Amino acid sequence: MHPALLISIVLLAALASALLLSRCFGARNRVCCLMYHRLLPAALYEKLQGTERLFTVPAEEFETQVCELVRQGYRFVTPEQIIDFAEGRETLPDKSVLITFDDGCVSVYQLALPILERHGACGTIFMTTDSHSAIFPESDTTQRRMTEEEMRDAVSRGLSVGSHSVSHRPLRGLADEEIRHELAESKRVLETITGREVCAFAVPGNWYDARVLRIAREVGYRGLWWSNPGWVRPAGTALGLPRIHIEGHYNLRQFRHALSRIGVFQRALLSWIKWLPGRILGPRFWSPIRRVILSVVPGGYISLGRLTVAGLLLVGLIVFLIILAFAQR
Ligand SMILES: [Zn+2]
């Protein structure tokens, strides 16, 4: 490899890391959105395998986490407040949190809602409207989609509803008209069921591109959440709001770490590294590979020590390649 190319890569990597560091450690006002999917009683959670251990949270652990947020003085806010904050129209204290649940599984209604009610908290469900979507396995009735009646009851008890598309297909692989249908039809269906405006959208599987953002704005969404880790800051736009994924195996210490500056930085760094193969391979090839990687290396293994070792190894490799390139000249 040409030395100039290597030096450019090193400079680019350094610039990207500096940007990431400034975003995670900058002193500006910031609030957080947490991302959950499904809940199960702890005894059933122990029987789960593979990636389900990341995307399902034991109900008892979820209650401990909500208690911890209350203990730390967090204020629970709505998607509309986050949108206004991101667009610079509303100020929020740093300890503001939006709890979100993707997909719309019945376990959120049965297990999470009573916990939120007990602790004076609120949250948002991002619903996939097709109850036959592959995200709701027919063999597992504990994770079926919420019924319309359950949705209306959840809304009357303080949960708000946003859209998570019609079918949960990766939007980035679809034609413009299909994306428009996924966004507009789910919005229409949810507004009919709840009788309220649906202005928030969460991207299924984090498969988005510029077209998804543009069409979301065109069909009337004011806020779009993705799964990129980070904090929400007053950035002038609410179409591209980051969230912190709370993985099912987290204990209380890991939960606190996930909310810390260093915890968010670690996840932002990892997602930046993971972004590239997804862009190159596309959803069809990258999704199954990602599933295997996630089942082997869940986030619990990502400690600061291991990341430091990995970083040092990477720097060593780059230095070695530079020396090699110069030696060959
Ligand atoms: Zn989803």
Side-chain angles (χ1 to χ4, degrees), residues 198-215:
V198 170
C199 64
F201 182 82
V203 182
N206 213 26
W207 291 109
Y208 64 87
D209 57 16
R211 292 178 308 143
V212 175
L213 268 59
R214 172 177 53 81
I215 295 169

Side-chain angles (χ1 to χ4, degrees), residues 37 102-103 135 164 168 204-205:
H37 293 78
D102 280 9
D103 304 338
I135 203 75
H164 196 44
H168 206 279

